[in-house]
Amino acid sequence: MTDDQNLPVEEKMTEKEILQALDSDDATVVRQAAFEAANQGLKSALPVLVKLFESHSMGIIEAVEVAVRKIRGEEAVRLIIPVLRNEDATVRNISMDILREIAEDDVQSMIDLVYDEDPDIRIFATDILGSIKNASVVQVLCEALEHDPEVNVRYQVAISLGEIKDPKCVEALKKAIADEEWVQYAAIGALAKIRDTQSVDILLQALDTVSPLVVSIIIEALGDIGSVKSVPRLLEYLSKWDGPIRIKALKAIIQILGPNALNLLGAQQLYSFQEYMIEALKEKDEETLMVVLSGLSTVGLDPDVTKAIIELGKRIDANIQLELLQKIIETLKSIGYNEELEAAFVSDNELVRRIAIETCGGLDGKAGRFVLKRHFDQMTPDDKNRSINLLAVNSDEHDIPFFINHLENSQEPQVICAALRFLGVKQKRVDLAPKMIKFLESEDQNIHDAALEACLALEDEDTVYKITAYKDNERADLRKMAVYTMGYINAEFFFQDLATAMDDKDASVRKTAIEAIGYGLPESEAKNKMLIFAMQDEDKDVRLSTVGIMSEQMNSELVPSLVTALSDSDDWVKMRALEVLGLYKIDSVVPTIIEMIPNSEQLVKLKIIETLALIGGDQAFQALLGLVSSGDSAIQQAAQVAMESITRELGEEDE
């Protein structure tokens, strides 16, 4: 279906012109006439429009569909009804779709079709009537459900009654449960949608009269309805049936009561229910497993439950069944610590150990952390890394000795990093600063970073001075660390040291120094001088970083340096400078920018065009005009867009 029913026309067509155009051999003319008929609500065009459903042009059929929907009315319904008999399935489907929307304009004509000799027409009619909320429709459909000789019609009637959801049809649906299975399914689905007490009673009564397959469907429907009234019968079915029906009953009870209310069952019932849930963990269906795990999360305190869940963990694919894996872990957390959970730590299955580690790492209280610490030294490197990160998040002051021990004795980078962050960031143990500082000299970048984070988190003056003392160290990475710390703590206080670092022989130190000055100092003449000085640095990364600072802290003293950057040896520096000049609309640089065009690479030219568009003005527009005829299509397109941007902005100013 299209949405262009308001297709513009040069002038309004008369009724006669529309009817003549609809008879044209030109599909475009016919489409335009159909849209115009829709716009005018022209009922006299309906017979011609409906006849056009026989067209071989989908474009015409779509336009006709739009027109008939918009004009609608009794005549439209009566004219469309015969199209239901069209041999073309696509045309039939379109006519049904239209009638679902407009059939309420002539309900009686649709009702008459329920008694048609052709069962297919009766199916179509009962389908369409399901979209009409009308008492007479309900009555007719109920009669059809009871008396129509064709099973497929009765099936469709039941589905339509489910769409209407009128409690008056419950009795007819009750009778349909004695019909053929195909109809039974639809009737059960309809009762589930109606969801009232009477529906529940009917479904419960039917449990002893239908086949096992239909029992399964009814139980699923009762779970969807969610009435507590059905729980006693469902509990009976746990012992009466096994296999799929028992699984369905389990799921339905958990859905109805909710996991937390399962504890309200009697002791014997609860024990049996738990056993059935354990058995259900052998199922493969992921949805079933998710529901059963929800039930076990509140009643599965027996270690046998933990064991069964861990066995489930062995069978899943952790790379695909991520949601199920998380549900397993969350369920085990709810159950809590027991010997089966601890036994999982020595499993030869990597996923089982991971489940045990993540479960214990998330348990409330000390038990989980004690298990992790108890098994830590025997773990594989991967398990250690996973455990230490969980411990670092969830531990408290009682775990400090454990972390100190591993800070002093571990050789594994991730363990050392977790210990540093726990002791420094979380616990802020200033007394351990000497132990942390020694890791600043680590060759491992992750350990170095974690040590710096931990030391700075202490907010200790002596520690800061020890870090900044590395400004004269032979190692460039340590000098860079000292410079970073100066900027992080107080760039104004350390300004002289930062200025000195601007002459460091290592470019990364100089870059860190200008960033500390640029982002750590308020605007001042001294700061401007340092930024201007940095723009002359031999390293392009230093210059590029400096332009980035200028983009956020622009002032008139910096403009000459940005202009100089337009002739930089590095194109990225040029483009960043152009970006800043455009952002602040520095119109005095337009001539210089224009002079760059002939000798620039395509990427720089595109940035020049973008900059000229931002600055605007006569000179910029003339330069862009010259680029529209460029032999490079990308340059042409960019110049055209830029010119449109300038003219649009001028138009907005005039308004």
Side-chain angles (χ1 to χ4, degrees):
M1 174 180 162
T2 61
D3 191 30
D4 51 353
Q5 54 263 54
N6 291 312
L7 187 73
V9 292
E10 292 182 5
E11 58 182 52
K12 186 175 180 179
M13 299 170 69
T14 65
E15 178 180 352
K16 183 178 179 181
E17 289 171 336
I18 291 171
L19 295 175
Q20 288 176 342
L22 288 173
D23 196 36
S24 171
D25 293 330
D26 188 330
T28 302
V29 172
V30 176
R31 278 174 55 82
Q32 186 179 28
F35 289 131
E36 184 60 23
N39 291 339
Q40 295 186 28
L42 194 62
K43 292 186 182 297
S44 61
L46 283 169
V48 184
L49 288 167
V50 172
K51 188 177 180 181
L52 285 169
F53 273 119
E54 298 177 3
S55 169
H56 296 296
S57 166
M58 282 309 299
I60 290 176
I61 293 173
E62 289 175 357
V64 168
E65 180 185 358
V66 168
V68 174
R69 286 178 188 272
K70 192 165 183 180
I71 298 170
R72 53 186 306 159
E74 290 184 23
E75 186 180 1
V77 175
R78 291 172 189 160
L79 289 167
I80 287 289
I81 283 173
V83 184
L84 293 172
R85 302 180 194 276
N86 194 293
E87 293 183 2
D88 188 325
T90 301
V91 173
R92 286 200 309 272
N93 289 337
I94 292 173
S95 66
M96 284 189 67
D97 201 32
I98 294 172
L99 286 170
R100 287 191 190 98
E101 183 176 327
I102 71 171
E104 62 185 355
D105 293 349
D106 186 2
V107 176
Q108 188 57 50
S109 291
M110 292 306 308
I111 288 175
D112 291 344
L113 291 182
V114 176
Y115 306 101
D116 196 274
E117 291 183 1
D118 186 341
D120 286 339
I121 295 298
R122 300 202 300 278
I123 290 171
F124 298 156
T126 52
D127 180 335
I128 293 162
L129 288 171
S131 63
I132 302 174
K133 306 295 187 288
N134 183 296
S136 61
V137 169
V138 173
Q139 183 180 347
V140 169
L141 289 175
C142 287
E143 291 174 2
L145 183 59
E146 187 172 353
H147 300 296
D148 197 287
E150 174 60 44
V151 65
N152 289 329
V153 176
R154 299 196 300 277
Y155 169 79
Q156 181 56 58
V157 170
I159 289 176
S160 292
L161 288 171
E163 293 300 316
I164 295 173
K165 300 176 187 175
D166 190 328
K168 294 189 183 77
C169 66
V170 167
E171 194 60 35
L173 290 167
K174 177 181 178 181
K175 293 178 183 178
I177 292 182
D179 205 327
E180 296 183 39
E181 278 193 353
W182 190 237
V183 180
Q184 289 176 332
Y185 299 154
I188 292 164
L191 288 167
K193 287 184 176 181
I194 294 170
R195 304 174 75 89
D196 69 354
T197 303
Q198 197 178 356
S199 295
V200 174
D201 290 338
I202 291 169
L203 292 172
L204 289 172
Q205 290 166 16
L207 282 171
D208 295 325
T209 66
V210 294
S211 69
L213 183 58
V214 180
V215 166
S216 177
I217 302 296
I218 290 175
I219 290 174
E220 190 171 336
L222 290 169
D224 291 339
I225 293 171
S227 172
V228 178
K229 186 176 184 178
S230 58
V231 171
R233 287 295 304 280
L234 292 172
L235 285 168
E236 290 176 18
Y237 270 80
L238 293 177
S239 56
K240 183 176 179 180
W241 295 90
D242 57 11
I245 293 181
R246 178 184 286 171
I247 296 296
K248 293 274 188 182
L250 271 174
K251 287 177 64 178
I253 292 168
I254 296 169
Q255 283 177 293
I256 293 167
L257 293 180
N260 293 326
L262 292 177
N263 282 308
L264 300 178
L265 298 174
Q268 186 57 46
Q269 278 183 325
L270 188 58
Y271 177 78
S272 299
F273 198 75
Q274 179 179 285
E275 291 299 306
Y276 294 140
M277 286 193 288
I278 289 175
E279 184 67 22
L281 290 178
K282 296 177 182 177
E283 292 293 307
K284 292 183 179 179
D285 179 62
E286 192 163 329
E287 182 187 348
T288 297
L289 292 170
M290 295 288 280
V291 174
V292 171
L293 286 168
S294 293
L296 289 171
S297 67
T298 56
V299 302
L301 302 181
D302 191 322
D304 287 343
V305 175
T306 298
K307 183 177 181 180
I309 295 173
I310 288 172
E311 286 298 315
L312 169 63
K314 291 180 181 178
R315 305 199 317 265
I316 71 171
D317 186 334
N319 295 317
I320 297 174
Q321 297 173 289
L322 295 174
E323 189 176 357
L324 182 57
L325 174 61
Q326 193 56 41
K327 188 68 175 178
I328 287 171
I329 294 168
E330 292 303 320
T331 303
L332 290 172
K333 286 179 186 177
S334 297
I335 293 170
Y337 168 78
N338 57 49
E339 59 268 27
E340 290 294 339
L341 183 60
E342 178 147 2
F345 277 86
V346 295
S347 171
D348 57 1
N349 185 296
E350 182 182 353
L351 182 56
V352 167
R353 297 197 307 272
R354 174 182 166 186
I355 289 169
I357 288 168
E358 294 195 19
T359 299
C360 287
L363 289 178
D364 293 332
K366 301 175 182 178
R369 301 202 304 271
F370 283 172
V371 176
L372 290 176
K373 291 190 289 185
R374 190 157 55 243
H375 289 273
F376 192 82
D377 290 336
Q378 286 74 47
M379 288 180 181
T380 66
D382 285 345
D383 288 350
K384 278 186 178 180
N385 292 340
R386 189 172 284 116
S387 297
I388 197 74
N389 286 326
L390 288 166
L391 284 167
V393 172
N394 299 315
S395 295
D396 57 28
E397 64 276 6
H398 298 99
D399 300 296
I400 288 174
F402 171 83
F403 283 97
I404 292 176
N405 175 50
H406 287 284
L407 184 66
E408 293 176 339
N409 300 310
S410 179
Q411 300 299 314
E412 295 165 273
Q414 199 158 341
V415 173
I416 295 170
C417 289
L420 284 164
R421 291 192 174 103
F422 175 78
L423 295 168
V425 178
K426 190 170 183 180
Q427 295 298 321
K428 298 188 182 300
R429 289 293 299 264
V430 175
D431 59 310
L432 297 174
K435 295 181 184 294
M436 298 180 200
I437 286 172
K438 71 176 184 178
F439 287 102
L440 293 172
E441 298 185 20
S442 172
E443 297 287 350
D444 186 295
Q445 188 63 44
N446 291 326
I447 293 176
H448 168 85
D449 291 345
L452 181 59
E453 181 185 356
C455 288
L456 292 177
L458 298 177
E459 298 178 350
D460 174 61
E461 189 174 331
D462 287 343
T463 303
V464 168
Y465 277 118
K466 287 176 182 176
I467 298 172
T468 58
Y470 282 101
K471 63 184 174 60
D472 299 317
N473 195 278
E474 291 183 0
R475 281 174 51 181
D477 62 324
L478 296 180
R479 297 198 305 277
K480 177 182 172 182
M481 173 194 69
V483 169
Y484 169 81
T485 301
M486 293 173 191
Y488 178 84
I489 298 298
N490 190 331
E492 289 187 84
F493 180 80
F494 290 105
F495 177 73
Q496 199 55 54
D497 289 314
L498 292 173
T500 301
M502 286 299 303
D503 281 321
D504 195 278
K505 61 185 177 182
D506 185 88
S508 68
V509 177
R510 300 197 303 273
K511 181 173 178 287
T512 303
I514 195 59
E515 287 171 349
I517 290 170
Y519 297 115
L521 291 176
E523 186 175 329
S524 65
E525 186 177 347
K527 177 178 176 177
N528 284 342
K529 286 181 178 179
M530 295 308 299
L531 290 170
I532 293 167
F533 177 74
M535 284 302 298
Q536 301 167 38
D537 197 280
E538 63 183 22
D539 186 83
K540 68 178 180 62
D541 289 332
V542 175
R543 300 195 303 275
L544 195 58
S545 185
T546 306
V547 178
I549 296 167
M550 290 179 176
S551 71
E552 297 181 30
Q553 306 171 33
M554 188 62 178
N555 62 69
S556 59
E557 288 187 33
L558 301 177
V559 172
S561 291
L562 285 172
V563 174
T564 301
L566 297 179
S567 57
D568 197 277
S569 58
D570 183 80
D571 280 349
W572 290 106
V573 175
K574 289 179 187 176
M575 289 192 292
R576 194 74 175 96
L578 283 165
E579 192 175 297
V580 179
L581 292 166
L583 179 66
Y584 289 93
K585 297 183 181 296
I586 311 297
D587 54 10
S588 62
V589 302
V590 168
T592 305
I593 294 174
I594 293 172
E595 288 175 4
M596 293 173 64
I597 296 173
N599 300 316
S600 295
E601 298 294 329
Q602 186 198 59
L603 202 59
V604 178
K605 280 185 181 178
L606 290 171
K607 182 59 72 173
I608 288 171
I609 291 169
E610 183 183 314
T611 304
L612 291 173
L614 288 170
I615 297 174
D618 295 348
Q619 283 184 295
F621 190 85
Q622 290 296 322
L624 292 168
L625 192 60
L627 290 172
V628 170
S629 58
S630 168
D632 186 324
S633 60
I635 299 297
Q636 282 184 23
Q637 180 65 25
Q640 184 177 334
V641 171
M643 289 170 65
E644 289 170 357
S645 174
I646 292 173
T647 55
R648 185 168 55 250
E649 189 171 329
L650 287 171
E652 290 171 358
E653 288 176 3
D654 290 341
E655 291 176 7

